[in-house]
């Protein structure tokens, strides 16, 4: 290899190392792009319905979003926070009841299988595990860690919102800048690829919004019929966690089952059955109906994307796993397969 080739290889390796060290910033930028795409989609719908120019549609859309956020904060958040605090206060009692049921089951099983000696040994092990005391200094350090995480999360949220607003105001300018980063012979094609990525993200966001609303409404109706407390908090959690496929619906069952377990184990099982039915309705009826124009992702690829992006980017990678997978699927299909692999031809001697 010549000196220039070695220099290019070293520069490429250095660029990859730099990108790896900045991966947390890159995923925040991608989150801002996703939010900007949502705003641009709303602006496009407003512009089409009202038949006005883009600056006026942008002003109306941002004003409408601000009104919705203010009304939601003033009307929905206070009772939700109160119900959520009550939910958190009830969780230790529910967990204690679950542990008592588990101990009772283990005791009866051990006594039936191994006799009273095994039962006494199990009771001693339970007591030894519960005899630990909480260090006040350790608890204070944990509180400081939680406060620091909340502060950094707030800064990251402000960064995402600010960048998304800047991109939403001038989307074409930022799009052209990104196009200039690719070689000149591929810029026209890359412009079409970016358009396809934007359409896929818009379809995904619209489908997820409708699906989450349906899941939240179904959860609220089902929990009301079962007489479970904290309906608003649990329904809102079910709708929000529905954004995270596979893992989110599983997490959303923990809180309502914990509250129902305080009344009776039968009610907790009914809540579990309710959420299983809701997820089947969402998976086989709602999602195919509202996402028939969406880029299709296989369930196995979705799970792999969640694990892969969570390992690389952390919890935010789990939240953004689906939009990242949607964009990567478009890039792989259009760039790698369509433009690279399908463009290869065998030499005449090998045909």
């Amino acid at each position: 290899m010549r000196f220039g080739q070695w220099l290019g290889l070293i520069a490429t390796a250095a660029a990859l190392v730099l990108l790896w060290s900045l991966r947390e910033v890159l995923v925040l930028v991608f989150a801002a792009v996703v939010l900007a795409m949502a705003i641009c989609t709303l602006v496009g719908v407003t512009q089409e319905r009202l038949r006005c120019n883009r600056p006026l549609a942008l002003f109306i859309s941002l004003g409408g979003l601000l009104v919705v956020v203010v009304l939601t904060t003033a009307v929905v958040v206070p009772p939700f926070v109160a119900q959520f605090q009550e939910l958190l206060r009830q969780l230790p009692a529910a967990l204690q009841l679950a542990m008592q049921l588990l101990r009772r089951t283990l005791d009866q099983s051990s006594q039936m299988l191994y006799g009273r000696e095994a039962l006494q040994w199990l009771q001693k092990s339970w007591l030894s595990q519960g005899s630990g005391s909480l260090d006040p200094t350790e608890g204070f350090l944990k509180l400081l860690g939680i406060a620091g995480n909340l502060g950094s999360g707030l800064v990251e949220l402000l960064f995402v919102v600010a960048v998304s607003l800047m991109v939403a105001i001038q989307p074409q300018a930022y799009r052209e800048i990104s196009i200039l980063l690719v070689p000149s012979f591929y810029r026209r094609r890359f412009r079409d690829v970016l358009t396809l990525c934007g359409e896929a993200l818009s379809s995904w966001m619209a489908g997820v919004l409708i699906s989450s609303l349906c899941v939240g409404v179904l959860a609220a109706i089902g929990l009301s019929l079962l007489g479970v407390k904290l309906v608003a908090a649990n329904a809102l959690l079910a709708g929000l966690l529905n954004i995270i496929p596979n893992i989110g619906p599983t997490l959303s069952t923990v809180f309502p089952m914990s509250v129902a377990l305080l009344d009776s184990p039968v009610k907790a099982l009914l809540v579990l059955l309710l959420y299983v039915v809701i997820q089947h309705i969402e998976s086989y009826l709602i999602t195919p109906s509202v996402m028939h124009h969406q880029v299709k992702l296989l369930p196995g690829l979705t799970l792999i994307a969640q694990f892969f992006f969570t390992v690389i980017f952390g919890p935010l990678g789990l939240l953004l796993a689906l939009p990242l997978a949607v964009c990567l699927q478009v890039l792989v299909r259009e760039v790698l397969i369509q433009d690279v692999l399908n463009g290869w031809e065998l030499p005449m001697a090998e045909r």
Side-chain angles (χ1 to χ4, degrees):
M1 295 178 63
R2 298 179 180 179
F3 176 76
Q5 294 175 336
W6 279 108
L7 188 62
L9 181 61
I10 294 173
T12 302
L16 292 176
V17 172
L18 180 62
L19 290 176
W20 176 259
S21 62
L22 296 176
R23 62 188 184 277
E24 296 181 358
V25 178
L26 293 177
V27 74
L28 289 177
V29 173
F30 181 77
V33 171
V34 172
L35 183 57
M37 281 298 306
I39 297 174
C40 290
T41 302
L42 181 60
V43 171
V45 173
T46 304
Q47 188 176 1
E48 182 180 355
R49 295 293 178 85
L50 300 180
R51 299 185 183 278
C52 57
N53 54 14
R54 194 180 189 281
L56 180 59
L58 179 63
F59 177 77
I60 294 174
S61 301
L62 293 179
L65 287 176
L66 182 61
V67 170
V68 170
V69 171
V70 171
L71 290 178
T72 303
T73 303
V75 177
V76 178
V77 172
F80 172 74
V81 170
Q83 289 188 359
F84 195 76
Q85 289 177 350
E86 184 179 353
L87 179 62
L88 292 180
R89 286 195 297 268
Q90 292 182 1
L91 276 179
L95 291 176
Q96 184 177 3
L97 180 59
M99 292 299 295
Q100 290 177 358
L101 292 175
L102 180 60
R103 291 179 184 179
R104 189 180 307 168
T105 304
L106 289 176
D107 291 345
Q108 293 176 355
S109 301
S110 300
Q111 186 174 2
M112 291 175 58
L113 294 176
Y114 304 108
R116 293 186 176 274
E117 295 181 357
L119 177 60
Q120 295 176 357
W121 179 81
L122 277 176
Q123 291 176 350
K124 291 180 180 179
S125 64
W126 283 113
L127 291 174
S128 63
Q129 289 178 2
S131 62
S133 60
L134 180 63
D135 188 5
T137 305
E138 183 180 356
F140 180 71
L141 292 177
K142 289 182 178 179
L143 289 177
L144 288 180
I146 293 174
N149 291 331
L150 290 176
S152 62
L154 181 60
V155 172
E156 292 176 354
L157 178 61
L158 293 176
F159 171 78
V160 169
V161 172
V163 173
S164 63
L165 290 176
M166 294 176 186
V167 175
I169 292 173
Q170 294 179 312
Q172 296 297 329
Y174 290 96
R175 180 183 177 185
E176 294 300 322
I177 290 176
S178 62
I179 290 174
L180 291 176
L181 296 177
V182 301
S184 58
F185 70 91
Y186 197 71
R187 288 171 184 170
R188 180 178 299 179
R189 170 62 176 162
F190 192 67
R191 184 177 286 108
D192 297 334
V193 174
L194 287 181
T195 302
L196 293 175
C197 289
E199 293 175 353
L201 281 177
S202 299
S203 300
W204 172 80
M205 286 184 288
V208 165
L209 178 61
I210 298 174
S211 176
S212 298
L213 287 175
C214 294
V215 169
V217 171
L218 290 175
I221 295 173
L223 293 176
S224 299
L225 294 176
L226 292 176
V228 179
K229 300 177 182 179
L230 309 176
V231 174
N234 289 314
L236 186 56
L237 282 175
L240 292 176
L241 292 176
N242 186 67
I243 300 175
I244 309 174
N246 302 323
I247 299 175
T250 303
L251 294 177
S252 66
T253 61
V254 175
F255 295 100
M257 285 187 63
S258 301
V259 175
L261 189 62
L262 293 176
D263 295 334
S264 66
V266 177
K267 184 177 288 189
L269 292 177
L270 290 176
V271 170
L272 177 61
L273 180 62
L274 169 67
Y275 273 68
V276 170
V277 172
I278 290 175
Q279 288 306 314
H280 277 78
I281 294 175
E282 189 270 338
S283 299
Y284 296 105
L285 182 61
I286 299 175
T287 299
S289 300
V290 302
M291 293 189 179
H292 58 280
H293 294 301
Q294 183 193 7
V295 177
K296 301 297 181 180
L297 287 174
L298 296 175
L301 293 179
T302 302
L303 187 60
I304 293 173
Q306 287 178 310
F307 179 78
F308 181 77
F309 291 122
T310 302
V311 171
I312 295 179
F313 300 117
L316 189 57
L318 177 62
L319 294 176
L320 297 174
L322 267 188
L324 281 169
V326 167
C327 291
L328 280 180
Q329 179 167 316
V330 174
L331 291 175
V332 169
R333 184 186 67 234
E334 298 296 328
V335 178
L336 180 61
I337 298 178
Q338 185 67 28
D339 297 340
V340 178
L341 299 180
N342 290 348
W344 283 0
E345 293 184 359
L346 293 175
M348 293 297 297
E350 297 181 6
R351 291 182 181 178

